Amino acid sequence: MAIEERADTLIALDEALAELAGVDERLSRVVECRFFGGLTEEETAEALGVTARTVRRDWTKAKGWLHRVLR
């Protein structure tokens, strides 16, 4: 992938995450923790003050939402 394509992809991802935050802030935070922070479900749950089950559910929702938006 060329540098310009990667830059375009990162810009699109950043815009999509900003849009997701407007829809559901916690979903956006879960993506930040899991994808960018490399945190486990348990670590993310602790950081956000929710259960690991909630993180798992939010992670699935966020990935689906981002997939639809970024296609």
Side-chain angles (χ1 to χ4, degrees), residues 37-48:
L39 300 181
T40 65
E41 287 177 356
E42 291 76 18
E43 292 167 333
T44 301
E46 186 175 327
L48 299 180

Side-chain angles (χ1 to χ4, degrees), residues 26-62:
R26 192 177 70 213
L27 293 183
S28 177
R29 297 283 315 258
V30 167
V31 172
E32 290 172 357
C33 290
R34 300 278 291 139
F35 186 76
F36 295 106
L39 300 181
T40 65
E41 287 177 356
E42 291 76 18
E43 292 167 333
T44 301
E46 186 175 327
L48 299 180
V50 297
T51 66
R53 182 177 177 179
T54 296
V55 169
R56 193 170 19 261
R57 188 173 47 245
D58 286 354
W59 181 232
T60 300
K61 280 194 236 178

